[in-house]
Amino acid sequence: MGRLDAFRQFNLLKWLREERQSRKLILFIVFVALLLDNMLLTVVVPIIPSYLYNLDESTATVLKNKTLPQPGPPGAFHSIVSLYDNTVRSLGSNITTRSTDLVSTAPAATELPQNSSDCPQSTSKLLNENVKVGILFASKATVQLITNPFIGPLTNRIGYQLPIFAGFCIMFISTIMFAFSSSYTLLFLARSLQGVGSSCSSVAGMGMLASVYTDDEERGHAIGIALGGLAMGVLVGPPFGSVMYDFVGKTAPFLILAFLALFDGALQLIVLQPTKVEPESQKGTPLLTLMKDPYILIAAGAICFGNMAIAMMEPTLPIWMMETMCAKKWQLGVAFLPASISYLIGTNIFGTLAHKMGRWLCALIGITVVGISVICVPFATNIYGLILPNFGVGFAIGMVDSSMMPIMGYLVDLRHVSVYGSVYAIADVAFCMGFALGPSIGGSIAESIGFPWVMTIIGIVDIFFAPLCLFLRNPPGQEEKIAILMDTNCSMKTRSYSTQGTYYQGENMDPEYDDYD
């Protein structure tokens, strides 16, 4: 009875307000925000190529019907049958067709392959979809790329709460637009609008985690969990979208995502209270200064080229499957399932393991495996042949992301001022550059020289970039920063600021975070 009474007296809203300062609750909010953002990012992957192809086909059919000769008035003669030579002459034309030819060709017209509904009717039209789909997919990342440099410094001035809530509002509008858009222009606008919301959510979310998890090892673990939300969105998005699109319709998956987004928004209102402006206590390093740091650029490059591989596959792989495998609608999304599952596994394993083995080594191995795996993708002859290379791509990208995201915060702590909005804006810019250049360039290359060459080119680029991660093995720090970090009066407790495991310890913790779980 005691437990029952305690359960009755339990007030969820009161508990959420009391636990506002819990790091775990903040981590959960960022996890859900990244989950929904990336579900919306990937749920369109199997839907858009097929939907646009069917849209273009229906438009072409309507135009073709309009150009056909209109039927004459009832009772009008359109042909004359000659009983002498068994021919049919059409009035107003010089076409003569033998009736025996009509009989012999009729059965051939009705005999179609069993999977004719899954095979595209026009290969040339399908190849043309590469560019349209690539530009549509790239629009989100391009807008996010433009927005990030403004969001990073903005979080330093007004805090992280308002931007992350603004990201939810924008993403909700974008999701509703996706659900009810029936033209390429509206879909393009919805995808572009999502880029603004993603910029707010990802930059503010990662910056918030870096500011409350000041210990380097804990920060790596927390960012690994948050990236698990990203991985879960990437995991669930394509199969969820393809199955719902095939069996329910285009609108259904987006309406479900909109409902889940409302839950996240309500949680942010209660816990984060985004009406308050909470600027950082110290002025952060200017964005341009951070962009000139060669070590930050190498880490950003690893994020960019690692994710560019999967970004190139998103618009081109479904079209290649439709062309070569006559893949069904639900298979277009399920093909990405091995990559999504392995990405989730990789981010959870290497969120902690990368700190022990060296984040530079984890990234070097990861980006090399990405290159080898994508080169193997075009050798698949059916959907089962895609399992192993796609699994390798996802697992390796998980290694890169889970090691490079924490190292961005580590480099700022070691070489600059410990304010994280701008550096995670750079990390998000790198991520977006991969997803902006990948689909747009990949779609154009696939149309001109074919999908296999797209995978070969990005694979070789990744393999050649991998050795640059060696420079992150032991990056130099500013002497005054190391002295401050070693000072016992330093308010930031930092257990590790070396990828090799060297420890600099501070004793005191900021009292604002003493009660964090």
Side-chain angles (χ1 to χ4, degrees):
M1 290 296 293
R3 290 184 178 179
L4 185 59
D5 292 338
F7 180 76
R8 288 173 178 173
Q9 294 174 2
F10 176 73
N11 189 320
L12 180 61
L13 294 179
K14 182 180 179 181
W15 179 80
L16 287 173
R17 291 192 187 99
E18 290 175 352
E19 295 293 320
R20 278 190 64 242
Q21 295 301 314
S22 170
R23 291 189 299 182
K24 291 180 180 178
L25 200 53
I26 292 173
L27 176 57
F28 177 73
I29 288 173
V30 176
F31 177 92
V32 174
L34 292 178
L35 168 69
L36 294 175
D37 180 33
N38 286 276
M39 274 193 74
L40 182 60
L41 174 71
T42 57
V43 77
V44 300
V45 169
I47 297 175
I48 295 300
S50 177
Y51 180 75
L52 287 180
Y53 176 76
N54 292 334
L55 196 66
D56 290 345
E57 278 290 299
S58 60
T59 303
T61 303
V62 171
L63 292 175
K64 185 178 179 181
N65 290 338
K66 287 182 178 180
T67 57
L68 290 175
Q70 299 297 322
F77 291 100
H78 293 280
S79 61
I80 300 175
V81 180
S82 173
L83 300 177
Y84 176 73
D85 58 358
N86 292 325
T87 60
V88 179
R89 298 183 183 274
S90 297
L91 293 181
S93 69
N94 295 323
I95 300 174
T96 302
T97 306
R98 290 190 176 274
S99 58
T100 54
D101 295 336
L102 292 173
V103 174
S104 62
T105 57
T110 58
E111 291 179 3
L112 294 172
Q114 292 180 354
N115 62 344
S116 61
S117 60
D118 300 318
C119 292
Q121 300 299 315
S122 173
T123 305
S124 60
K125 287 183 181 179
L126 191 61
L127 292 175
N128 290 336
E129 295 295 329
N130 274 299
V131 178
K132 290 180 66 177
V133 173
I135 292 173
L136 179 64
F137 282 4
S139 62
K140 181 258 184 188
T142 305
V143 171
Q144 193 170 347
L145 190 68
I146 297 170
T147 311
N148 278 332
F150 300 98
I151 300 297
L154 182 66
T155 58
N156 298 339
R157 295 190 182 96
I158 66 174
Y160 302 110
Q161 289 86 350
L162 273 174
I164 198 172
F165 184 74
F168 146 73
C169 296
I170 296 170
M171 194 189 74
F172 178 77
I173 296 171
S174 173
T175 307
I176 296 297
M177 287 185 65
F178 266 119
F180 298 105
S181 296
S182 57
S183 68
Y184 182 84
T185 304
L186 290 176
L187 289 170
F188 184 88
L189 183 61
R191 184 75 169 181
S192 301
L193 189 62
Q194 187 197 351
V196 181
S198 295
S199 179
C200 296
S201 298
S202 56
V203 173
M206 286 296 179
M208 188 183 297
L209 289 181
S211 65
V212 298
Y213 285 92
T214 55
D215 178 271
D216 186 53
E217 187 174 0
E218 286 185 353
R219 179 187 295 164
H221 182 64
I223 290 179
I225 293 173
L227 289 176
L230 186 152
M232 189 76 74
V234 174
L235 166 67
V236 176
F240 171 73
S242 59
V243 171
M244 293 293 289
Y245 175 51
D246 198 8
F247 297 105
V248 183
K250 181 181 79 75
T251 305
F254 298 109
L255 291 181
I256 293 173
L257 282 181
F259 176 77
L260 294 175
L262 285 177
F263 164 75
D264 183 50
L267 194 61
Q268 290 185 30
L269 272 176
I270 296 168
V271 177
L272 299 181
Q273 295 183 357
T275 54
K276 295 181 179 180
V277 175
E278 298 179 2
E280 290 286 347
S281 57
Q282 54 183 340
K283 186 178 180 181
T285 306
L287 185 66
L288 288 176
T289 304
L290 294 176
M291 292 178 68
K292 293 176 184 177
D293 189 320
Y295 298 95
I296 290 177
L297 289 179
I298 291 173
I303 295 171
C304 175
F305 288 112
N307 286 278
M308 190 180 290
I310 194 72
M312 281 188 168
M313 288 172 62
E314 283 187 354
T316 55
L317 181 61
I319 294 172
W320 181 71
M321 290 173 64
M322 291 168 66
E323 179 189 357
T324 60
M325 304 177 188
C326 292
K328 297 180 180 179
K329 291 178 182 178
W330 64 268
Q331 291 178 332
L332 302 179
V334 172
F336 289 93
L337 198 58
S340 305
I341 293 173
S342 60
Y343 184 84
L344 181 62
I345 296 170
T347 52
N348 279 277
I349 291 176
F350 291 97
T352 303
L353 186 60
H355 177 79
K356 297 177 180 178
M357 66 181 286
R359 292 193 175 114
W360 67 274
L361 180 60
C362 185
L364 189 150
I365 296 172
I367 202 165
T368 304
V369 174
V370 170
I372 295 171
S373 298
V374 295
I375 291 174
C376 295
V377 168
F379 292 101
T381 56
N382 53 47
I383 191 171
Y384 302 105
L386 292 171
I387 293 175
L388 190 59
N390 280 6
F391 188 92
V393 170
F395 189 80
I397 294 176
M399 293 177 68
V400 174
D401 287 355
S402 60
S403 56
M404 290 296 100
M405 285 294 185
I407 216 172
M408 296 292 265
Y410 149 70
L411 288 170
V412 166
D413 285 333
L414 187 63
R415 298 169 57 81
H416 304 279
V417 180
S418 299
V419 176
Y420 307 100
S422 294
V423 76
Y424 281 107
I426 293 173
D428 206 46
V429 162
F431 185 83
C432 295
M433 192 170 289
F435 275 90
L437 296 178
S440 54
I441 295 176
S444 301
I445 297 175
E447 184 186 23
S448 56
I449 60 177
F451 174 78
W453 277 107
V454 176
M455 296 293 97
T456 303
I457 291 170
I458 187 59
I460 292 172
V461 169
D462 281 348
I463 292 170
F464 275 99
F465 183 87
L468 290 178
C469 296
L470 286 167
F471 289 101
L472 298 174
R473 183 175 183 177
N474 193 17
Q478 296 178 359
E479 293 182 4
E480 60 271 21
K481 285 287 292 183
I482 296 175
I484 291 172
L485 293 172
M486 294 179 68
D487 186 2
T488 56
N489 295 321
C490 177
S491 63
M492 182 177 65
K493 179 182 177 183
T494 310
R495 283 185 54 201
S496 173
Y497 275 89
S498 171
T499 52
Q500 298 302 303
T502 304
Y503 291 96
Y504 305 107
Q505 296 192 4
E507 295 177 357
N508 297 327
M509 186 80 169
D510 192 333
E512 182 184 353
Y513 303 132
D514 281 346
D515 297 331
Y516 284 174
D517 297 327

